[in-house]
Amino acid sequence: MNSADVLALKALLSTPQKIAIIPHKNPDGDAIGAALGLHHYLIKNGHTSVVISPNDYPEFLKWMPGTRNVMIFEKQNAQAKEFIASSTLIFTVDFNDLGRIGQMKEVLEETDTTFVMVDHHQSPANYASVMYSDTSMSSTCEMIFHMIKALGGVNDINSEIADCLYAGILTDTGSFKYAATTSETHRVVAALIDKGARSSEIHREIFDTNTPSRLHLLGCALNNLVILPEYSTAYITLSQEELDKHNFKKGDTEGFVNYGLTLAGIRMAVIFIENRDEGIVKISFRSEGDFSVNEFARSYFEGGGHTNAAGGKSTRSMEETVTYFRSLLEQHKSELNA
């Protein structure tokens, strides 16, 4: 975080503020962890703060301190709009374009409240007065730690803040295995453990609370795995019928896409998940090395993200989406096989 942004943020927070903290739609561990970690820090420093999520999030994240007070925009629409309208400051965390918050986009576009962005994705939009954007960071939660440190608030980090930030770093680094995990990431994690983060308990809460239905859905997904060795690519499909059959709940497919990358010789893994209610096929991309799924998703599937992790969508049918995807691979064959 550069010195000008630190000074600007210190000035904004120098008097008590009414603050809305907003993660992206379908928030993951990093988004919720960053939002709640920041929330606890702001409350401790005399501000009024509410986390407002565009929609609900998975049960395996609802152990986090403060989760019961998160406002869900889809369910508490009037209450959320009222709080946003009266806010004096809005933090957006783990996204950098208002298109990532669904129905909340119009509400935020209509407010003249000051925005602060904290995010680590590529190609940020220019809507925030203070923009802390760093694509080299492992996670937004790591950025929140650095932001708190820059504000002189390390001593304010208690076990609640530490738990939330640790959870976000854990999930967004793939348990510290992704390339964006640096020595500095480990130093931040060590500091959070020193502050009271319950590392082993958090791991169990996130990864060891599966239901039989989720494991059966994973079996279905792996049974649908298609390997295209000529393109160093593997993909999975899950239809709405398959999701319904296995009692799908939000978050059940988290991490499924990564199984493709566990195969020797695979550089890109993709999962296509049908969402009949929204009329789309949701797509997650992962890659190894320098093949940019961010560019791939942005170019073909109205998405984006990071070099090695991105998302997108298609309004075609599942069959048409997969056919279109496969038709694109030939022009990227040299990159995928580099």
Side-chain angles (χ1 to χ4, degrees):
M1 195 172 190
N2 67 47
S3 57
D5 286 335
V6 172
L7 289 173
L9 190 52
K10 281 183 175 180
L12 289 171
L13 297 175
S14 62
T15 56
Q17 303 292 323
K18 185 175 184 180
I19 302 171
I21 305 172
I22 301 171
H24 56 74
K25 186 178 179 183
N26 300 318
D28 55 9
D30 190 30
I32 290 296
L36 284 171
L38 176 60
H39 163 74
H40 291 302
Y41 170 76
L42 293 171
I43 291 292
K44 197 168 184 183
N45 281 272
H47 304 285
T48 301
S49 167
V50 172
V51 175
I52 305 175
S53 177
N55 60 349
D56 208 353
Y57 51 97
E59 287 295 322
F60 64 78
L61 297 175
K62 291 186 176 178
W63 58 268
M64 287 193 201
T67 189
R68 291 184 181 181
N69 297 320
V70 172
M71 201 178 292
I72 306 299
F73 185 81
E74 284 187 352
K75 298 177 181 179
Q76 299 159 278
N77 190 273
Q79 188 179 355
K81 286 181 177 178
E82 182 180 349
F83 189 89
I84 291 169
S86 61
S87 294
T88 57
L89 192 61
I90 295 175
F91 278 84
T92 65
V93 296
D94 202 37
F95 70 94
N96 60 20
D97 189 299
L98 296 182
R100 293 290 316 281
I101 53 174
Q103 298 174 8
M104 291 185 72
K105 180 174 186 278
E106 291 183 7
V107 177
L108 293 197
E109 286 178 336
E110 290 172 359
T111 182
D112 58 1
T113 306
T114 300
F115 283 83
V116 178
M117 175 203 296
V118 186
D119 179 67
H120 66 136
H121 297 87
Q122 297 175 349
S123 304
N126 187 28
Y127 64 83
S129 298
V130 177
M131 184 187 299
Y132 179 21
S133 174
D134 190 341
T135 59
S136 71
M137 285 284 169
S138 72
S139 56
T140 300
C141 279
E142 182 177 346
M143 297 178 71
I144 295 291
F145 177 89
H146 289 301
M147 184 178 78
I148 291 173
K149 183 178 180 180
L151 293 172
V154 169
N155 290 335
D156 292 328
I157 297 178
N158 56 19
S159 61
E160 291 183 330
I161 297 171
D163 274 355
C164 294
L165 298 185
Y166 182 96
I169 297 172
L170 175 71
T171 53
D172 238 36
T173 59
S175 297
F176 312 110
K177 72 179 181 181
Y178 297 152
T181 306
T182 64
S183 59
E184 181 60 23
T185 305
H186 286 288
R187 280 188 283 270
V188 169
V189 166
L192 293 174
I193 292 173
D194 289 342
K195 293 290 186 178
R198 302 163 299 127
S199 56
S200 58
E201 290 90 340
I202 292 170
H203 192 281
R204 281 197 297 273
E205 290 281 5
I206 292 173
F207 298 112
D208 298 338
T209 56
N210 288 315
T211 62
S213 294
R214 183 179 187 270
L215 292 185
H216 291 146
L217 181 61
L218 173 59
C220 175
L222 295 178
N223 191 56
N224 293 348
L225 178 70
V226 175
I227 302 168
L228 304 173
E230 66 274 29
Y231 301 114
S232 304
T233 294
Y235 68 86
I236 290 169
T237 59
L238 282 171
S239 68
Q240 188 68 61
E241 288 80 4
E242 289 168 325
L243 296 172
D244 293 343
K245 179 182 177 181
H246 295 94
N247 302 309
F248 170 76
K249 292 181 176 59
K250 186 177 290 292
D252 277 356
T253 58
E254 188 77 23
F256 282 14
V257 64
N258 296 318
Y259 281 88
L261 287 183
T262 67
L263 294 165
I266 295 301
R267 293 197 66 197
M268 178 165 68
V270 187
I271 189 168
F272 302 91
I273 302 172
E274 186 177 19
N275 186 322
R276 194 168 291 157
D277 288 343
E278 295 186 22
I280 63 171
V281 174
K282 183 182 176 183
I283 313 168
S284 292
F285 303 89
R286 299 291 185 271
S287 67
E288 294 282 2
D290 57 5
F291 182 79
S292 176
V293 288
N294 170 58
E295 293 180 10
F296 191 90
R298 284 184 184 277
S299 296
Y300 306 117
F301 292 103
E302 301 178 52
H306 305 286
T307 298
N308 298 123
K313 65 181 180 179
S314 167
T315 56
R316 299 176 172 91
S317 69
M318 177 69 82
E319 182 179 359
E320 292 170 334
T321 298
V322 171
T323 298
Y324 174 59
F325 166 74
R326 293 184 62 147
S327 74
L328 300 170
L329 296 177
E330 184 63 30
Q331 58 190 294
H332 295 279
K333 186 174 183 177
S334 60
E335 302 164 61
L336 287 165
N337 292 326

